[in-house]
Amino acid sequence: QVQLVESGGGLVQPGGSLRLSCAASGSIVGIYAMGWYRQAPGKQRELVAGFTSDGITNYAHSVKGRFTISRDNAKNTVYLQMNSLKPEDTAVYYCNLVLPSKGYWGQGTQVTVSS
């Protein structure tokens, strides 16, 4: 089985920064994609940032220039550095891992941007 463990969420003031981490464990072979999604109350889950197996990195337009995704392949860990946070970034952030067999989601971590 595959497990995704997220950490790093919390409450931050507008303009502040947070760093999310997602560590994958278990039988992980042939990663197709890995990244972060978010879901705000009353809204659909949306891609924030992610890697694909062919090396392409994608960002949501709303976070370009503020968020940076990175990874440690040796640790099967992906990070999301979030700078210049805005109240509209408030959401539950989910880690996503896509393997040849199936996709997996983390449990989610709350990010709240408020003064």
Side-chain angles (χ1 to χ4, degrees):
Q1 288 294 332
V2 173
Q3 286 190 323
L4 301 176
V5 179
E6 300 146 337
S7 61
L11 173 64
V12 64
Q13 292 185 341
S17 298
L18 284 174
R19 188 190 192 211
L20 305 183
S21 298
C22 172
S25 61
S27 181
I28 300 170
V29 180
I31 295 176
Y32 278 165
M34 192 170 184
W36 293 93
Y37 286 70
R38 69 185 180 187
Q39 188 166 18
K43 295 187 177 181
Q44 290 188 332
R45 193 172 296 189
E46 63 174 356
L47 174 70
V48 178
F51 294 107
T52 61
S53 60
D54 52 3
I56 295 174
T57 302
N58 295 302
Y59 288 94
H61 178 75
S62 60
V63 308
K64 282 183 178 179
R66 301 189 296 122
F67 291 10
T68 302
I69 190 170
S70 60
R71 58 187 171 179
D72 184 332
N73 290 331
K75 296 181 179 179
N76 285 325
T77 299
V78 64
Y79 306 95
L80 185 67
Q81 178 66 43
M82 305 185 294
N83 298 327
S84 302
L85 282 160
K86 304 176 181 180
E88 51 264 43
D89 294 318
T90 295
V92 179
Y93 284 69
Y94 296 91
C95 181
N96 175 254
L97 172 67
V98 181
L99 301 180
S101 56
K102 62 181 290 187
Y104 298 87
W105 292 97
Q107 79 282 1
T109 185
Q110 177 71 45
V111 172
T112 302
V113 185
S114 175
S115 55

mmCIF file of all heavy atoms in Angstrom, residues 74-101:
data_model
loop_
_atom_site.group_PDB
_atom_site.id
_atom_site.type_symbol
_atom_site.label_atom_id
_atom_site.label_comp_id
_atom_site.label_asym_id
_atom_site.label_seq_id
_atom_site.Cartn_x
_atom_site.Cartn_y
_atom_site.Cartn_z
ATOM 1 N N ALA A 74 15.023 10.846 -3.809
ATOM 2 C CA ALA A 74 15.541 9.804 -2.922
ATOM 3 C C ALA A 74 14.604 9.547 -1.749
ATOM 4 O O ALA A 74 14.528 8.433 -1.226
ATOM 5 C CB ALA A 74 16.919 10.192 -2.417
ATOM 6 N N LYS A 75 13.879 10.575 -1.353
ATOM 7 C CA LYS A 75 12.970 10.462 -0.208
ATOM 8 C C LYS A 75 11.512 10.336 -0.646
ATOM 9 O O LYS A 75 10.621 10.278 0.215
ATOM 10 C CB LYS A 75 13.120 11.673 0.706
ATOM 11 C CG LYS A 75 14.493 11.813 1.348
ATOM 12 C CD LYS A 75 14.532 13.034 2.260
ATOM 13 C CE LYS A 75 15.897 13.174 2.919
ATOM 14 N NZ LYS A 75 15.959 14.379 3.802
ATOM 15 N N ASN A 76 11.257 10.324 -1.958
ATOM 16 C CA ASN A 76 9.867 10.311 -2.461
ATOM 17 C C ASN A 76 9.042 11.401 -1.781
ATOM 18 O O ASN A 76 7.910 11.156 -1.320
ATOM 19 C CB ASN A 76 9.225 8.943 -2.253
ATOM 20 C CG ASN A 76 9.742 7.911 -3.237
ATOM 21 O OD1 ASN A 76 10.025 8.214 -4.390
ATOM 22 N ND2 ASN A 76 9.884 6.683 -2.780
ATOM 23 N N THR A 77 9.616 12.574 -1.704
ATOM 24 C CA THR A 77 8.981 13.692 -1.020
ATOM 25 C C THR A 77 8.858 14.864 -1.976
ATOM 26 O O THR A 77 9.774 15.151 -2.748
ATOM 27 C CB THR A 77 9.790 14.099 0.212
ATOM 28 O OG1 THR A 77 9.834 12.983 1.124
ATOM 29 C CG2 THR A 77 9.147 15.283 0.917
ATOM 30 N N VAL A 78 7.718 15.525 -1.909
ATOM 31 C CA VAL A 78 7.499 16.728 -2.696
ATOM 32 C C VAL A 78 7.171 17.873 -1.748
ATOM 33 O O VAL A 78 6.528 17.669 -0.707
ATOM 34 C CB VAL A 78 6.377 16.509 -3.738
ATOM 35 C CG1 VAL A 78 5.040 16.251 -3.070
ATOM 36 C CG2 VAL A 78 6.283 17.676 -4.701
ATOM 37 N N TYR A 79 7.646 19.041 -2.093
ATOM 38 C CA TYR A 79 7.466 20.233 -1.256
ATOM 39 C C TYR A 79 6.728 21.306 -2.049
ATOM 40 O O TYR A 79 6.804 21.364 -3.276
ATOM 41 C CB TYR A 79 8.827 20.780 -0.823
ATOM 42 C CG TYR A 79 9.714 19.770 -0.137
ATOM 43 C CD1 TYR A 79 10.665 19.046 -0.856
ATOM 44 C CD2 TYR A 79 9.589 19.524 1.225
ATOM 45 C CE1 TYR A 79 11.478 18.113 -0.237
ATOM 46 C CE2 TYR A 79 10.408 18.591 1.855
ATOM 47 C CZ TYR A 79 11.342 17.887 1.114
ATOM 48 O OH TYR A 79 12.140 16.961 1.733
ATOM 49 N N LEU A 80 6.052 22.162 -1.314
ATOM 50 C CA LEU A 80 5.423 23.327 -1.927
ATOM 51 C C LEU A 80 5.767 24.536 -1.073
ATOM 52 O O LEU A 80 5.265 24.675 0.046
ATOM 53 C CB LEU A 80 3.901 23.159 -2.030
ATOM 54 C CG LEU A 80 3.177 24.275 -2.766
ATOM 55 C CD1 LEU A 80 3.557 24.260 -4.258
ATOM 56 C CD2 LEU A 80 1.662 24.146 -2.616
ATOM 57 N N GLN A 81 6.639 25.374 -1.601
ATOM 58 C CA GLN A 81 6.986 26.627 -0.931
ATOM 59 C C GLN A 81 5.992 27.687 -1.381
ATOM 60 O O GLN A 81 5.883 27.961 -2.588
ATOM 61 C CB GLN A 81 8.414 27.049 -1.287
ATOM 62 C CG GLN A 81 8.832 28.363 -0.663
ATOM 63 C CD GLN A 81 8.929 28.297 0.847
ATOM 64 O OE1 GLN A 81 9.448 27.340 1.413
ATOM 65 N NE2 GLN A 81 8.417 29.322 1.508
ATOM 66 N N MET A 82 5.275 28.243 -0.436
ATOM 67 C CA MET A 82 4.238 29.228 -0.737
ATOM 68 C C MET A 82 4.628 30.561 -0.143
ATOM 69 O O MET A 82 4.726 30.695 1.090
ATOM 70 C CB MET A 82 2.894 28.761 -0.175
ATOM 71 C CG MET A 82 2.488 27.371 -0.653
ATOM 72 S SD MET A 82 0.833 26.882 -0.117
ATOM 73 C CE MET A 82 1.085 26.766 1.654
ATOM 74 N N ASN A 83 4.865 31.529 -0.991
ATOM 75 C CA ASN A 83 5.232 32.882 -0.567
ATOM 76 C C ASN A 83 4.152 33.865 -0.962
ATOM 77 O O ASN A 83 3.293 33.572 -1.801
ATOM 78 C CB ASN A 83 6.555 33.286 -1.218
ATOM 79 C CG ASN A 83 7.717 32.391 -0.816
ATOM 80 O OD1 ASN A 83 7.765 31.879 0.312
ATOM 81 N ND2 ASN A 83 8.665 32.200 -1.711
ATOM 82 N N SER A 84 4.208 35.032 -0.363
ATOM 83 C CA SER A 84 3.240 36.100 -0.665
ATOM 84 C C SER A 84 1.814 35.568 -0.625
ATOM 85 O O SER A 84 1.010 35.825 -1.535
ATOM 86 C CB SER A 84 3.543 36.710 -2.040
ATOM 87 O OG SER A 84 4.856 37.216 -2.087
ATOM 88 N N LEU A 85 1.493 34.880 0.432
ATOM 89 C CA LEU A 85 0.176 34.251 0.525
ATOM 90 C C LEU A 85 -0.937 35.279 0.617
ATOM 91 O O LEU A 85 -0.762 36.362 1.211
ATOM 92 C CB LEU A 85 0.136 33.317 1.730
ATOM 93 C CG LEU A 85 0.839 31.971 1.492
ATOM 94 C CD1 LEU A 85 1.204 31.301 2.810
ATOM 95 C CD2 LEU A 85 -0.046 31.060 0.665
ATOM 96 N N LYS A 86 -2.052 34.920 0.010
ATOM 97 C CA LYS A 86 -3.224 35.784 -0.038
ATOM 98 C C LYS A 86 -4.402 35.083 0.631
ATOM 99 O O LYS A 86 -4.433 33.848 0.687
ATOM 100 C CB LYS A 86 -3.583 36.083 -1.499
ATOM 101 C CG LYS A 86 -2.470 36.702 -2.313
ATOM 102 C CD LYS A 86 -2.895 36.872 -3.767
ATOM 103 C CE LYS A 86 -1.777 37.468 -4.615
ATOM 104 N NZ LYS A 86 -2.190 37.636 -6.024
ATOM 105 N N PRO A 87 -5.381 35.839 1.098
ATOM 106 C CA PRO A 87 -6.553 35.194 1.699
ATOM 107 C C PRO A 87 -7.209 34.187 0.758
ATOM 108 O O PRO A 87 -7.737 33.169 1.223
ATOM 109 C CB PRO A 87 -7.478 36.380 1.995
ATOM 110 C CG PRO A 87 -6.540 37.519 2.225
ATOM 111 C CD PRO A 87 -5.417 37.308 1.255
ATOM 112 N N GLU A 88 -7.166 34.437 -0.535
ATOM 113 C CA GLU A 88 -7.781 33.508 -1.486
ATOM 114 C C GLU A 88 -7.005 32.205 -1.646
ATOM 115 O O GLU A 88 -7.469 31.284 -2.345
ATOM 116 C CB GLU A 88 -7.974 34.166 -2.857
ATOM 117 C CG GLU A 88 -6.745 34.840 -3.423
ATOM 118 C CD GLU A 88 -6.722 36.339 -3.139
ATOM 119 O OE1 GLU A 88 -7.048 36.748 -1.993
ATOM 120 O OE2 GLU A 88 -6.339 37.100 -4.057
ATOM 121 N N ASP A 89 -5.834 32.104 -1.032
ATOM 122 C CA ASP A 89 -5.105 30.837 -1.016
ATOM 123 C C ASP A 89 -5.613 29.908 0.093
ATOM 124 O O ASP A 89 -5.172 28.749 0.183
ATOM 125 C CB ASP A 89 -3.605 31.087 -0.806
ATOM 126 C CG ASP A 89 -2.963 31.830 -1.962
ATOM 127 O OD1 ASP A 89 -3.270 31.509 -3.125
ATOM 128 O OD2 ASP A 89 -2.157 32.742 -1.691
ATOM 129 N N THR A 90 -6.501 30.407 0.924
ATOM 130 C CA THR A 90 -7.052 29.593 1.995
ATOM 131 C C THR A 90 -7.794 28.389 1.431
ATOM 132 O O THR A 90 -8.684 28.533 0.589
ATOM 133 C CB THR A 90 -8.006 30.426 2.858
ATOM 134 O OG1 THR A 90 -7.258 31.462 3.516
ATOM 135 C CG2 THR A 90 -8.694 29.560 3.908
ATOM 136 N N ALA A 91 -7.403 27.208 1.869
ATOM 137 C CA ALA A 91 -7.993 25.972 1.361
ATOM 138 C C ALA A 91 -7.377 24.788 2.090
ATOM 139 O O ALA A 91 -6.398 24.950 2.843
ATOM 140 C CB ALA A 91 -7.736 25.825 -0.137
ATOM 141 N N VAL A 92 -7.945 23.625 1.865
ATOM 142 C CA VAL A 92 -7.288 22.388 2.264
ATOM 143 C C VAL A 92 -6.407 21.956 1.088
ATOM 144 O O VAL A 92 -6.883 21.862 -0.047
ATOM 145 C CB VAL A 92 -8.293 21.285 2.609
ATOM 146 C CG1 VAL A 92 -7.555 19.997 2.988
ATOM 147 C CG2 VAL A 92 -9.199 21.721 3.755
ATOM 148 N N TYR A 93 -5.157 21.718 1.378
ATOM 149 C CA TYR A 93 -4.186 21.341 0.348
ATOM 150 C C TYR A 93 -3.952 19.835 0.422
ATOM 151 O O TYR A 93 -3.673 19.285 1.496
ATOM 152 C CB TYR A 93 -2.883 22.102 0.553
ATOM 153 C CG TYR A 93 -2.978 23.541 0.092
ATOM 154 C CD1 TYR A 93 -3.771 24.454 0.788
ATOM 155 C CD2 TYR A 93 -2.307 23.985 -1.049
ATOM 156 C CE1 TYR A 93 -3.890 25.768 0.354
ATOM 157 C CE2 TYR A 93 -2.412 25.302 -1.475
ATOM 158 C CZ TYR A 93 -3.208 26.180 -0.768
ATOM 159 O OH TYR A 93 -3.327 27.497 -1.198
ATOM 160 N N TYR A 94 -4.052 19.189 -0.737
ATOM 161 C CA TYR A 94 -3.927 17.738 -0.825
ATOM 162 C C TYR A 94 -2.740 17.360 -1.695
ATOM 163 O O TYR A 94 -2.563 17.895 -2.797
ATOM 164 C CB TYR A 94 -5.179 17.114 -1.440
ATOM 165 C CG TYR A 94 -6.435 17.291 -0.636
ATOM 166 C CD1 TYR A 94 -7.269 18.374 -0.839
ATOM 167 C CD2 TYR A 94 -6.787 16.352 0.339
ATOM 168 C CE1 TYR A 94 -8.434 18.545 -0.103
ATOM 169 C CE2 TYR A 94 -7.945 16.504 1.077
ATOM 170 C CZ TYR A 94 -8.758 17.602 0.847
ATOM 171 O OH TYR A 94 -9.914 17.748 1.588
ATOM 172 N N CYS A 95 -1.980 16.410 -1.220
ATOM 173 C CA CYS A 95 -0.916 15.833 -2.020
ATOM 174 C C CYS A 95 -1.507 14.736 -2.905
ATOM 175 O O CYS A 95 -2.397 13.995 -2.474
ATOM 176 C CB CYS A 95 0.144 15.245 -1.089
ATOM 177 S SG CYS A 95 1.565 14.523 -1.934
ATOM 178 N N ASN A 96 -1.014 14.638 -4.128
ATOM 179 C CA ASN A 96 -1.497 13.638 -5.082
ATOM 180 C C ASN A 96 -0.327 12.912 -5.714
ATOM 181 O O ASN A 96 0.670 13.535 -6.086
ATOM 182 C CB ASN A 96 -2.332 14.323 -6.165
ATOM 183 C CG ASN A 96 -2.776 13.382 -7.259
ATOM 184 O OD1 ASN A 96 -2.264 13.404 -8.377
ATOM 185 N ND2 ASN A 96 -3.727 12.517 -6.948
ATOM 186 N N LEU A 97 -0.451 11.606 -5.803
ATOM 187 C CA LEU A 97 0.572 10.767 -6.430
ATOM 188 C C LEU A 97 -0.107 9.846 -7.423
ATOM 189 O O LEU A 97 -1.079 9.168 -7.069
ATOM 190 C CB LEU A 97 1.303 9.943 -5.369
ATOM 191 C CG LEU A 97 2.267 8.867 -5.860
ATOM 192 C CD1 LEU A 97 3.459 9.501 -6.564
ATOM 193 C CD2 LEU A 97 2.744 8.005 -4.691
ATOM 194 N N VAL A 98 0.400 9.820 -8.646
ATOM 195 C CA VAL A 98 -0.175 8.953 -9.679
ATOM 196 C C VAL A 98 0.862 7.921 -10.087
ATOM 197 O O VAL A 98 1.951 8.275 -10.562
ATOM 198 C CB VAL A 98 -0.619 9.766 -10.913
ATOM 199 C CG1 VAL A 98 -1.239 8.829 -11.946
ATOM 200 C CG2 VAL A 98 -1.612 10.850 -10.524
ATOM 201 N N LEU A 99 0.522 6.658 -9.879
ATOM 202 C CA LEU A 99 1.354 5.529 -10.265
ATOM 203 C C LEU A 99 0.697 4.802 -11.432
ATOM 204 O O LEU A 99 -0.478 5.041 -11.710
ATOM 205 C CB LEU A 99 1.529 4.574 -9.088
ATOM 206 C CG LEU A 99 2.155 5.158 -7.821
ATOM 207 C CD1 LEU A 99 2.261 4.085 -6.740
ATOM 208 C CD2 LEU A 99 3.516 5.744 -8.111
ATOM 209 N N PRO A 100 1.428 3.897 -12.096
ATOM 210 C CA PRO A 100 0.789 3.139 -13.194
ATOM 211 C C PRO A 100 -0.460 2.385 -12.752
ATOM 212 O O PRO A 100 -1.387 2.203 -13.540
ATOM 213 C CB PRO A 100 1.894 2.181 -13.625
ATOM 214 C CG PRO A 100 3.161 2.886 -13.277
ATOM 215 C CD PRO A 100 2.851 3.620 -11.986
ATOM 216 N N SER A 101 -0.495 1.969 -11.487
ATOM 217 C CA SER A 101 -1.623 1.168 -11.009
ATOM 218 C C SER A 101 -2.818 2.021 -10.622
ATOM 219 O O SER A 101 -3.966 1.676 -10.906
ATOM 220 C CB SER A 101 -1.181 0.306 -9.818
ATOM 221 O OG SER A 101 -0.645 1.131 -8.797
#
